[in-house]
Amino acid sequence: MYAPSSDVRDPPSVYAQAAPPAPVAVPLTGRPHVGVAVIGAGFTGISAALHLAEAGVSVAVLEAKEVGSGASGRAFGQVVPYLKIGHRQILRHYGPERGARVIDAIAAGPDLVFELIARHGIECWPVRTGLIFAAHAPAGRRDLESRTAYWQDRCAPVEMLEGAACAEAVGSSLYAAASLDRRGGNLNPFAYVRGLARAAVAAGAVIHTRTPVRGISRRDGRWVVDAGANGGAEGLTADAVLLATNAYTDDLWPGLRESVVPVRGHGFVSAPLSDNVRHSILPGRQSLTDTRRLFSGVRMLPNGRLHGSAFGPTSGPEPAADFRRVDGRMRQLYPQLGAVQWDETWTGWVAMTTDHVPRVHELAPGLWAGLGYNGRGIAAATLMGRELAARARGAGDDTLTFPLVPMRPQPWYRAAPFMVGALARWYRVRDVVDELRFLPKR
Ligand SMILES: Cc1cc2nc3c(=O)[nH]c(=O)nc-3n(C[C@H](O)[C@H](O)[C@H](O)COP(=O)(O)OP(=O)(O)OC[C@H]3O[C@@H](n4cnc5c(N)ncnc54)[C@H](O)[C@@H]3O)c2cc1C
């Protein structure tokens, strides 16, 4: 059985050391009444709280651990204008009108994130010089060319980099071609969610940390939220409740946990690199991913550390630090690295959905959940939070991006760890075959 709440290690210290102080958290006492109770203090919940508070709604956030303790404080940090699936699949999934709306709103996701950062003066290493997607094989190159052409037709700042231009942008001759999308960027996700939370508190939201919610029920026309670590009588009542627990969803609402598949992601950072090596890697400060199935990302942090994510155990207890995979991949990409000292590793849970699009459910009148970002949540969850806030204020599907869909618990949920593990191993084999066929030997 999955246990997504079982992260033993805190979010990475490399993020925490550069983050603003935690927002003031208030102990929950008695049974106050609020307009909206938000459960979960990641990008989704905090964005919802900020947008509600700015609209003058009384809002309280209830978080089992600390702000950013879930995936939001552990993400790789890429702010992407895409969902996991491409524009053709989005149009097929939603139909032409809604599909176009989803594509446009997701493409504008980085604008939303960087505008919030600028407006609230959030210190979170914001870099908006774009994202590099490199082709590891001819099929990957065709996909990137098709996506680039689609966006160029729509006048978006996306271009193909070939040969020497690609090598210069990446800082490596491993790839022959890449797509550079100047709409995206990267940041310190833990600092971003903390900064958003501080802005939400400044706007009037109340945040209760170390306050796990144990039950939600309906009584006398109000939602009753039972919370607190001690099993005591704390809690609150609310006119509306927003569930923003994503991959960390427990059994708070029947079937919600089983409606997504939690998969572990892994992050790694090195000790600071020497000046000449650090300047040779991704000199434009974009983050890099490639078209391999299990290749996640590489970027240089402003403190001169190399940050990578790599394939690892997809479920089970939090694994001990293992730097071998990331080390091999980084040396293949950047032979100039020499011996790298890896300082820190961490993991977090990504919520996957079977159709690879986020979901919004109205679980009962006045109770909504938004989740399932498939590893693309910095922009999409910020947008989802804004939309959940709008729903709590009475907005309907016609004015919002993500339509309400029925919640569907997966009957095979208990078998998911084995299925995901087997799929990841199969992807790994296919990636290795592609590497042997298409990537230069080092
Ligand atoms: C390793 C990794 C790398 C990633 N990289 C990227 C990336 O580069 N770019 C990108 O866009 N996305 C990335 N993602 C995905 C992104 O981080 C998530 O989509 C996003 O953080 C989801 O935000 P959230 O607020 O919905 O959930 P979370 O941040 O997970 O927050 C959920 C919160 O709910 C709380 N909670 C759960 N149950 C309860 C309860 N009963 N009572 C109270 N609180 C509760 C949890 O403690 C948690 O804090 C990555 C994710 C991981 C794990």
Side-chain angles (χ1 to χ4, degrees):
M1 189 69 178
Y2 279 121
S5 57
S6 65
D7 290 328
V8 179
R9 278 169 271 163
D10 286 335
S13 63
V14 67
Y15 288 167
Q17 282 160 6
V24 174
V26 180
L28 181 61
T29 51
R31 287 232 166 225
H33 180 77
V34 292
V36 182
V38 177
I39 304 174
F43 304 133
T44 308
I46 293 296
S47 166
L50 172 62
H51 286 97
L52 285 164
E54 284 182 335
V57 178
S58 69
V59 53
V61 181
L62 302 145
E63 163 57 47
K65 292 185 173 175
E66 300 291 340
V67 171
S69 285
S72 299
R74 299 163 188 271
F76 174 65
Q78 286 198 113
V79 186
V80 287
Y82 301 112
L83 292 179
K84 183 156 178 67
I85 53 174
H87 57 272
R88 283 193 201 86
Q89 287 162 289
I90 293 177
L91 291 169
R92 258 199 312 276
H93 180 84
Y94 289 106
E97 193 275 326
R98 175 71 64 172
R101 201 190 299 181
V102 170
I103 291 169
D104 288 347
I106 292 294
D111 290 343
L112 171 65
V113 169
F114 288 103
E115 189 274 323
L116 285 168
I117 290 169
R119 180 147 57 91
H120 297 290
I122 300 174
E123 288 183 17
C124 60
W125 300 337
V127 176
R128 201 173 182 189
T129 49
L131 303 162
I132 298 175
F133 302 93
H136 82 289
R141 183 182 184 135
R142 283 192 295 277
D143 286 347
L144 291 176
E145 283 169 347
S146 153
R147 188 169 82 183
T148 302
Y150 173 83
W151 285 109
Q152 283 180 339
D153 282 350
R154 307 180 82 204
C155 300
V158 186
E159 64 190 288
M160 286 301 293
L161 304 174
E162 308 277 348
C166 173
E168 194 181 324
V170 175
S172 162
S173 56
L174 189 68
Y175 308 106
S179 173
L180 170 61
D181 189 326
R182 295 189 189 276
R183 294 170 300 175
N186 65 88
L187 47 67
N188 173 339
F190 185 69
Y192 170 56
V193 71
R194 267 201 179 172
L196 277 186
R198 291 172 66 84
V201 169
V206 175
I207 300 183
H208 305 288
T209 53
R210 300 276 155 201
T211 309
V213 174
R214 301 187 311 269
I216 316 169
S217 55
R218 189 89 179 144
R219 218 173 298 152
D220 302 329
R222 289 177 162 191
W223 286 102
V224 178
V225 179
D226 294 314
N230 311 324
E234 303 96 334
L236 45 75
T237 57
D239 300 326
V241 176
L242 303 177
L243 274 166
T245 48
N246 204 38
Y248 290 75
T249 302
D250 55 16
D251 51 8
L252 202 51
W253 192 263
L256 188 62
R257 184 214 307 243
E258 291 80 8
S259 72
V260 294
V261 178
V263 176
R264 263 196 198 286
H266 302 257
F268 304 82
V269 285
S270 75
L273 303 179
S274 67
D275 272 359
N276 57 339
V277 174
R278 82 170 67 158
H279 292 306
S280 72
I281 293 175
L282 293 164
R285 291 296 157 258
Q286 295 92 356
S287 60
L288 163 75
T289 57
D290 82 13
T291 49
R292 269 174 279 183
R293 295 155 193 89
L294 295 177
F295 186 96
S296 302
V298 186
R299 61 175 176 156
M300 280 300 309
L301 300 182
N303 54 18
R305 294 172 187 268
L306 187 65
H307 177 192
S309 41
F311 170 59
T314 49
S315 62
E318 194 166 5
D322 178 358
F323 297 109
R324 280 169 304 178
R325 283 178 207 273
V326 72
D327 195 67
R329 197 159 58 82
M330 293 298 174
R331 284 154 174 279
Q332 177 197 36
L333 182 56
Y334 296 116
Q336 68 265 41
L337 278 171
V340 184
Q341 184 194 321
W342 294 99
D343 268 3
E344 190 173 13
T345 179
W346 65 93
T347 74
W349 293 92
V350 175
M352 305 298 290
T353 56
T354 46
D355 48 16
H356 298 308
V357 296
R359 309 248 174 90
V360 192
H361 310 298
E362 185 169 16
L363 301 170
L367 172 64
W368 290 274
L371 72 174
Y373 309 103
N374 297 278
R376 307 285 191 283
I378 297 178
T382 305
L383 172 64
M384 176 70 82
R386 189 177 75 182
E387 299 222 332
L388 290 174
R391 284 192 186 276
R393 299 180 62 223
D397 262 4
D398 50 334
T399 58
L400 299 174
T401 306
F402 300 115
L404 286 179
V405 292
M407 182 187 64
R408 296 196 199 289
Q410 307 299 337
W412 42 263
Y413 179 79
R414 280 173 184 275
F418 310 104
M419 292 160 66
V420 171
L423 191 65
R425 282 191 291 279
W426 169 234
Y427 283 168
R428 179 74 194 122
V429 169
R430 293 180 65 192
D431 278 350
V432 169
V433 171
D434 280 357
E435 283 167 22
L436 294 171
R437 287 182 68 195
F438 301 118
L439 290 180
K441 309 284 170 295
R442 299 287 200 183

